């Protein structure tokens, strides 16, 4: 379920399989699309269903949102993907994230940076509408899936952890799984032990950690701006 203009815009732009787009005010929505995203206007018109304004609040989209949509979650073979040895961009793995806003923010940055995928290990469904709001609908720009276990991967596992070698001393390996821990507990001993490397983002003394989504943004843009991203 996509709530608001920007999530619907990105879903259209990244070819989501959209079943319906709903609005209580087609003229206002068209004006918004013309101003902010004329590239999606034709498809938006084709999919549009008008909802009586009196019924709109009952859909839970919020008074300020002039649009919501329902789209199909793309199929994704996470096991096959993890087993691929192909070189390329890193993928992000979030271990038991708890805050759906953080999950969405990581997906948004990962899409912008050109990451290969965002996977979550246990924790809430990363396709929850709150995560889709946080990503502005950029779930459709790269594979997003939840795993119950990390198995069969032949990619180097990089634990992003406050205690490790400082970021920037060595390039990140190609194809890396950049693994981040949960907001409160951090990475589990199991993943820390399995990691091929532990990388820390330097911080001023006295600061214990960065926000999860901020840490992911720093790691992804270090890769993106470095020579290893090509
Ligand atoms: C809010 S932090 C978790 C804090 C947790 N109390 C701990 O000690 O790890 C969430 C995640 O962001 C990443 N992170 C935050 N600050 C970091 C830093 N300075 N260096 C490396 N990773 C960091 C780690 O992956 C961490 O598990």
């Amino acid at each position: 379920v996509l709530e608001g203009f920007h999530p619907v815009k990105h879903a259209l732009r990244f070819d989501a399989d959209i079943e319906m787009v709903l609005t209580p005010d087609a003229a206002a929505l068209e004006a918004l699309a013309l101003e902010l995203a004329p590239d999606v206007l034709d498809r938006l018109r084709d999919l549009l269903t008008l909802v009586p304004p009196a019924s709109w609040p009952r859909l839970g989209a919020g008074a300020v949102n002039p649009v919501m949509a329902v789209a199909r979650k793309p199929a994704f073979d996470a096991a096959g993907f993890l087993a691929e040895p192909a070189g390329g961009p890193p993928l992000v793995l979030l271990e038991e994230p708890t805050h759906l806003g953080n999950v969405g923010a990581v997906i948004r940055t990962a899409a912008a940076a050109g990451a290969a995928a965002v996977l979550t290990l246990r924790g809430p469904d990363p396709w929850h509408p709150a995560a889709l709001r946080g990503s502005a609908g950029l779930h459709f720009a790269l594979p997003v899936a939840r795993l119950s276990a990390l198995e069969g991967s032949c990619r180097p596992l990089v634990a992003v952890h406050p205690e490790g070698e400082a970021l920037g001393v060595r390039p990140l390996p190609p194809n890396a799984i950049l693994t981040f821990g949960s907001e409160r507990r951090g990475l589990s001993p199991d993943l820390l032990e399995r990691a091929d490397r532990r990388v820390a983002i330097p911080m001023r003394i006295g600061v214990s950690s960065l926000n999860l989504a901020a840490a992911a943004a720093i790691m992804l843009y270090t890769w993106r701006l470095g020579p290893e991203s090509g």
Side-chain angles (χ1 to χ4, degrees):
V1 174
L2 297 153
E3 298 163 340
F5 183 75
H6 293 291
V8 174
K9 170 194 74 181
H10 280 133
L12 286 163
R13 200 171 272 163
F14 287 97
D15 283 331
D17 182 1
I18 297 184
E19 296 204 340
M20 63 178 114
V21 178
L22 304 169
T23 184
D25 185 344
L29 179 59
E30 288 209 8
L32 199 61
L34 207 53
E35 185 193 341
L36 300 177
D39 57 306
V40 304
L41 187 56
D42 286 344
R43 221 172 138 225
L44 190 66
R45 278 195 190 119
D46 288 347
L47 290 162
L48 212 54
T49 299
L50 206 55
V51 174
S55 305
W56 186 249
R58 293 215 305 268
L59 294 181
V64 292
N65 279 331
V67 62
M68 65 188 294
V70 177
R72 285 184 184 278
K73 190 162 78 172
F76 173 58
D77 171 16
F81 179 80
L82 281 171
E84 278 172 22
L91 72 86
V92 173
L93 179 70
L94 305 179
E95 186 184 27
E96 276 192 70
T98 56
H99 192 285
L100 287 162
N102 275 339
V103 174
V106 171
I107 292 168
R108 187 171 185 169
T109 304
V118 176
L119 305 177
T120 60
L121 189 56
R122 303 178 295 274
D125 181 4
W127 285 85
H128 187 285
L132 279 152
R133 273 200 304 278
S135 79
L138 284 162
H139 283 59
F140 295 98
L142 78 176
V144 173
R146 176 172 52 182
L147 310 175
S148 51
L150 180 64
E151 280 161 2
S153 163
C154 46
R155 296 169 181 253
L157 189 63
V158 175
V160 184
H161 185 62
E163 286 157 32
E165 71 175 58
L167 175 63
V169 171
R170 285 194 283 160
L172 294 167
N175 234 5
I177 303 181
L178 302 178
T179 313
F180 300 84
S182 78
E183 291 86 342
R184 190 171 302 168
R185 289 195 305 270
L187 278 165
S188 64
D190 172 45
L191 279 185
L192 283 173
E193 223 158 81
R194 285 170 64 182
D196 300 292
R197 269 164 71 179
R198 294 181 190 182
V199 174
I201 302 164
M203 294 182 293
R204 180 181 172 181
I205 288 172
V207 178
S208 31
S209 69
L210 294 158
N211 160 272
L212 168 60
I218 290 168
M219 291 302 296
L220 285 167
Y221 269 85
T222 298
W223 166 78
R224 167 94 193 186
L225 300 174
E228 62 269 32
S229 77

